[in-house]
């Protein structure tokens, strides 16, 4: 039996990362993953190493996943040994970038080694984790699915079919399956957001293997394309896919307005609900109705102003909910008096609530983690590269957390040793007198153990074990304390900040508001940075889609220039007006649009939670 110590260690880190960063993790389709036998997990890849952590934590039966990893990661001796021990297999990226024949030969050798190691792992009944998209990116849908996973499956099938199972040591004799998996985030870089890991129905390789013939590369490539196409279809069924950013952002804004906030939507229904809204706001053909264009513009403007002002719709809706029974009702902007009352109420409820007071000590302990995580996300993260923010927050936040836990453990150790020495010398010392005598004696004995004053091998061993036990207990207590109370307090703090921003914006003179002419650059959510490893299939189609509905930039490529920073005070009144306009346009559009039964059911269920829509 393999100990897999490196993998177990990395998986435990993944457990802490996913459990600590996200407020909820849901796994669906677990029955599609067999408990044993060769398996390839073909997963989406939109959040860097967080995707790896999510799959490692959620895969049924806690099976070990041997991931394909970039070969450059193996160059570092420490990282390389850890990855190798964890079962990772090196992949040489962009093998065709070189122009000389020697490079191509080396590339072919690297690919042969990759598939040889992969086939050996599959023969031993292992799970291979592959990200067919080839890179982590942020786009409105799945942009590319490469054929790496299909090649791995075909090469294994060929080795078994043509070479015989005796050539692969440890062959289980069980059928190879490819299971598509989608890691879907409600907001992948946002702390305390949610994640759903969806395992799709497995793809049996047996029917494809039956088509393979010896020494026929044409047939092999055709089979690889068939498997790749099937993987792409399955992955798109498991994820949210929009034709462009305007459609996706329109759907996002509508989802928020209809539900009150995304947290109200069950994770089990999040993908289906979001995709239904994408379908509602997609532009079919080359001409879109004036109502659809107007509604999309209102929704995207509202979402953009939320982004630039740093206010979430959930917080705004909680502070100033929409009155009335239909979306067509236009919410009135709050008065200054109401905004002041709301801020004072939120201030008291947030900072002086028993839940907040109980959380305050844990917040102080974790302050270094919050500080290092914020610094990494805002300073070290590449500009507009959304998929790196979560991993930097998690890594550097974990580093800050480790420093805090270490400092607390060291302080407690010093206090216990000091207590043991005072007890031994029977010295009267102020704060010690406040501790009950029985508890003081127990703590003093423990302090004597970790001090190592007994000497000898036994004393040193007891000291080390005692220090480890103290560190584990302290870490466990602080971690549990923080995670048990952070969720609601975090939401309350966001509402408090939003209430302050609304008040400050309403107190500012109207002359400070951005005029309509200068507001346009802030009416679109900034697009993420372009990933150089993405191969777009049809740039002409993207250009065509950009002109549908009068869009003035490509939906798939980011704007060449971005608006300069602007104070949130200048955006508060435009934000409130944009909210009213979005409500009104959304209600009117849904009333006049012919929706199919599924879309109507989805929208009605959403409306029942937030601002209701007409039946």
């Amino acid at each position: 039996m393999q100990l897999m110590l490196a993998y177990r260690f990395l998986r435990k880190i993944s457990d802490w990362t996913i459990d600590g960063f996200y407020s909820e993790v849901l796994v669906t389709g677990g029955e599609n993953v067999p408990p044993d036998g060769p398996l390839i997990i073909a997963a989406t890849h939109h959040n860097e190493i967080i995707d790896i952590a999510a799959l490692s934590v959620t895969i049924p039966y806690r099976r070990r996943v041997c991931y394909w990893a970039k070969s450059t990661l193996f160059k570092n001796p420490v990282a390389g040994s850890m990855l190798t021990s964890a079962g990772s297999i090196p992949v040489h990226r962009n093998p065709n970038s070189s122009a000389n024949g020697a490079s191509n030969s080396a590339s072919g050798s690297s690919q042969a080694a990759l598939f040889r190691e992969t086939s050996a792992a599959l023969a031993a009944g292992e799970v291979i984790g592959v990200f067919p998209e080839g890179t982590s990116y942020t786009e409105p849908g799945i942009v590319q699915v490469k054929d790496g996973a299909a090649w791995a499956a075909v090469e294994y099938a060929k080795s078994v079919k043509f070479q015989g199972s005796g050539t692969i040591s440890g062959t289980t004799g069980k059928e190879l399956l490819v299971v598509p998996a989608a890691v879907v985030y409600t907001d992948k870089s946002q702390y305390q957001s949610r994640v759903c890991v969806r395992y799709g129905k497995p793809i049996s390789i047996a029917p494809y293997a039956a088509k393979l013939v010896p020494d026929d590369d044409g047939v092999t490539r055709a089979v690889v394309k068939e498997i790749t196409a099937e993987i792409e279809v399955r992955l798109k069924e498991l994820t949210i896919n929009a034709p462009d950013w305007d459609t996706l952002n329109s759907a996002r804004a509508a989802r928020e307005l209809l539900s009150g906030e995304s947290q109200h939507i069950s994770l089990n229904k999040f993908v289906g609900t979001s995709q239904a809204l994408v379908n509602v706001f997609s532009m079919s053909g080359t001409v879109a109705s004036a109502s659809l264009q107007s509604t999309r513009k209102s929704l995207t403007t509202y979402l953009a102003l939320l982004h630039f002002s740093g206010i979430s719709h959930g917080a705004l809706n909680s502070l100033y909910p929409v009155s009335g029974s239909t979306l067509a009702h236009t919410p009135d902007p709050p008065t200054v008096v109401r905004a002041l009352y709301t801020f004072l109420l939120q201030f008291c409820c947030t900072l002086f609530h028993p839940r907040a007071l109980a959380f305050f000590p844990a917040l102080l302990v974790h302050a270094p983690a919050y500080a290092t995580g914020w610094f990494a996300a805002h300073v070290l993260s590449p500009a507009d590269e959304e998929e790196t923010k979560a991993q930097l927050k998690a890594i550097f936040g974990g580093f800050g957390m480790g420093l805090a836990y270490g400092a607390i453990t060291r302080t407690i150790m010093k206090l216990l040793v000091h207590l043991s020495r005072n007890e031994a010398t029977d010295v009267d010392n102020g704060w010690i007198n406040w501790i009950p005598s029985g508890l003081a004696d127990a703590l003093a004995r423990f302090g004597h153990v970790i001090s190592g004053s007994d000497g000898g091998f036994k004393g040193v061993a007891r000291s080390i074990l005692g220090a480890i036990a103290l560190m584990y207990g302290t870490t466990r207590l602080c971690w549990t304390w923080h995670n048990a109370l952070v969720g609601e307090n975090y939401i309350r703090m966001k509402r408090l900040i939003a209430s302050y921003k609304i008040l400050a914006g309403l107190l500012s003179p109207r002359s400070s508001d951005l005029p309509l002419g200068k507001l346009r650059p802030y009416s679109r959510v900034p697009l993420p940075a372009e990933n150089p490893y993405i191969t777009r299939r049809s740039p002409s189609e993207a250009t065509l889609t950009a002109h549908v509905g009068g869009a003035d930039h490509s939906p798939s490529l980011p704007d060449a220039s971005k608006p300069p920073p602007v104070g949130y005070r200048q955006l508060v009144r435009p934000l409130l007006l944009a909210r009213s306009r979005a409500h009104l346009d959304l209600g009117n559009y849904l009333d006049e649009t012919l929706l199919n039964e599924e879309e109507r059911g989805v929208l009605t269920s959403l409306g029942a939670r937030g601002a209701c829509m007409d039946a």
Side-chain angles (χ1 to χ4, degrees):
M1 179 180 177
Q2 301 182 52
L3 293 178
M4 302 184 298
L5 295 180
Y7 184 81
R8 291 176 184 272
F9 171 75
L10 293 174
R11 188 171 61 188
K12 178 53 67 174
I13 296 295
S14 299
D15 284 330
W16 293 336
T17 300
I18 298 300
D19 183 49
F21 193 82
Y22 296 102
S23 63
E24 181 183 357
V25 181
L26 176 69
V27 181
T28 63
E31 67 279 2
N32 295 318
V33 178
D36 52 22
L39 179 66
I40 296 177
I41 298 291
T44 56
H45 196 22
H46 302 156
N47 208 10
E48 291 288 353
I49 63 173
I50 302 297
D51 293 329
I52 298 175
L55 289 173
S56 300
V57 168
T58 62
I59 186 169
Y61 312 106
R62 300 285 279 185
R63 297 187 66 178
R64 181 176 76 155
V65 183
C66 303
Y67 292 100
W68 282 4
K70 290 184 294 186
S71 58
T72 53
L73 298 176
F74 290 80
K75 293 182 179 180
N76 182 287
V78 177
S81 60
M82 288 284 288
L83 290 171
T84 301
S85 177
S88 298
I89 302 173
V91 179
H92 293 267
R93 199 178 214 177
N94 290 344
N96 298 323
S97 59
S98 300
N100 56 65
S103 299
N104 291 334
S105 175
S107 167
S109 175
S110 299
Q111 285 189 342
L114 168 66
F115 293 130
R116 185 170 56 250
E117 292 184 43
T118 300
S119 294
L122 290 172
E126 296 281 5
V127 180
I128 301 296
V130 182
F131 297 104
E133 291 167 286
T135 183
S136 179
Y137 59 82
T138 302
E139 290 286 332
I142 292 179
V143 176
Q144 65 182 18
V145 175
K146 297 187 175 183
D147 53 14
W151 272 113
V154 166
E155 290 296 328
Y156 172 78
K158 288 171 63 177
S159 67
V160 173
K161 183 175 181 179
F162 302 137
Q163 299 177 19
S165 59
T167 64
I168 306 176
S169 87
T171 300
T172 62
K174 293 193 175 183
E175 179 186 4
L176 171 63
L177 299 175
V178 176
V179 173
V183 188
V184 181
Y185 305 87
T186 58
D187 189 341
K188 62 185 178 183
S189 63
Q190 180 64 47
Y191 178 59
Q192 287 295 293
S193 56
R194 302 181 295 165
V195 56
C196 178
V197 183
R198 314 181 78 201
Y199 294 96
K201 292 188 179 300
I203 302 171
S204 173
I205 299 302
Y208 299 98
K211 301 177 183 180
L212 297 172
V213 295
D215 303 322
D216 192 329
D217 293 340
V219 172
T220 300
R221 284 192 293 270
V223 171
V224 167
K225 287 184 178 180
E226 287 184 42
I227 298 175
T228 302
E230 184 62 24
I231 291 174
E232 182 172 2
V233 169
R234 303 285 183 95
L235 288 178
K236 287 187 174 181
E237 290 174 349
L238 295 170
T239 53
I240 305 166
N241 291 272
D244 53 70
W245 279 110
D246 281 349
T247 301
L248 181 65
N249 288 333
S250 298
R252 286 174 54 193
R255 185 183 64 213
E256 298 282 342
L257 290 169
L258 288 165
S259 66
E261 57 180 313
S262 290
Q263 293 291 107
H264 289 162
I265 303 175
S266 167
L267 267 182
N268 197 36
K269 298 180 179 179
F270 182 80
V271 172
T273 298
S274 300
Q275 188 61 52
L277 289 169
V278 165
N279 297 339
V280 169
F281 292 101
S282 293
M283 292 184 176
S284 58
T286 57
V287 179
S289 68
S291 178
L292 175 56
Q293 293 184 46
S294 174
T295 303
R296 281 167 54 109
K297 183 178 180 181
S298 298
L299 292 172
T300 54
T301 298
Y302 175 54
L303 195 68
L305 290 175
L306 285 172
H307 169 82
F308 285 111
S309 63
I311 299 174
S312 70
H313 172 77
L316 180 58
N317 187 69
S318 297
L319 297 172
Y320 305 105
V322 179
S323 59
S325 59
T326 67
L327 276 174
H329 175 85
T330 304
D332 297 324
T335 62
V336 173
V337 174
R338 184 185 177 190
L340 176 61
Y341 170 78
T342 301
F343 168 70
L344 294 176
L345 180 63
Q346 291 297 318
F347 183 84
C348 295
C349 292
T350 300
L351 300 183
F352 300 109
H353 192 281
R355 179 177 48 246
L357 298 177
F359 177 67
F360 186 70
L363 177 62
L364 290 180
V365 170
H366 290 80
Y370 284 105
T372 52
W374 181 93
F375 175 83
H378 289 79
V379 179
L380 301 182
S381 177
D384 306 317
E385 199 169 286
E386 191 69 17
E387 60 271 15
T388 63
K389 295 185 184 297
Q391 71 172 13
L392 288 174
K393 288 180 181 179
I395 292 173
F396 282 84
F399 175 73
M401 195 179 302
L403 292 178
Y405 290 171
I408 291 176
T409 301
R410 181 176 175 80
T411 301
I412 295 175
M413 288 178 63
K414 286 185 175 181
L415 291 176
L416 291 176
V417 171
H418 178 70
L419 176 61
S420 67
R421 290 173 180 171
N422 283 351
E423 286 286 316
T425 56
D426 199 24
V427 175
D428 186 19
N429 198 334
W431 63 271
I432 297 179
N433 295 331
W434 291 91
I435 303 176
S437 59
L439 178 59
D441 291 340
L443 295 176
R445 287 195 295 271
F446 187 66
H448 178 75
V449 169
I450 62 177
S451 68
S453 56
D454 288 342
F457 175 79
K458 186 175 180 180
V460 172
R462 292 174 61 191
S463 175
I464 294 174
L465 292 176
I468 293 174
L470 178 62
M471 180 177 296
Y472 175 81
T474 302
T475 300
R476 188 75 178 179
L477 174 63
C478 293
W479 174 266
T480 304
W481 189 349
H482 174 271
N483 286 4
L485 296 172
V486 66
E488 187 63 28
N489 282 291
Y490 184 74
I491 294 174
R492 292 278 184 181
M493 183 57 67
K494 290 175 67 175
R495 291 175 183 171
L496 173 61
I497 294 173
S499 68
Y500 170 77
K501 288 183 175 182
I502 297 296
L503 175 62
L506 294 177
L507 287 174
S508 301
R510 288 185 176 273
S511 59
S512 67
D513 293 349
L514 277 183
L516 186 61
K518 295 184 179 180
L519 195 61
R520 186 178 181 185
Y522 304 95
S523 63
R524 288 186 181 275
V525 178
L527 300 184
E530 177 73 0
N531 189 316
Y533 295 106
I534 291 179
T535 303
R536 300 188 184 277
R537 296 176 181 172
S538 177
S540 60
E541 291 181 8
T543 304
L544 175 64
T545 309
H547 293 289
V548 175
D552 55 6
H553 71 286
S554 168
S556 301
L557 301 177
D559 293 328
S561 60
K562 295 197 172 183
V566 63
Y568 62 84
R569 290 181 177 86
Q570 298 177 270
L571 298 176
V572 166
R573 289 190 184 91
L575 169 66
L576 296 173
L577 290 175
R579 180 194 185 206
S580 299
R581 177 65 182 270
H583 265 277
L584 184 62
D585 286 355
L586 177 60
N588 291 335
Y589 177 70
L590 293 180
D591 283 343
E592 70 183 32
T593 302
L594 295 177
L595 303 175
N596 60 42
E597 185 177 348
E598 179 184 0
E599 292 168 345
R600 176 62 63 174
V602 167
L603 297 179
T604 302
S605 65
L606 280 175
R609 288 185 173 275
C612 300
M613 58 179 291
D614 290 331

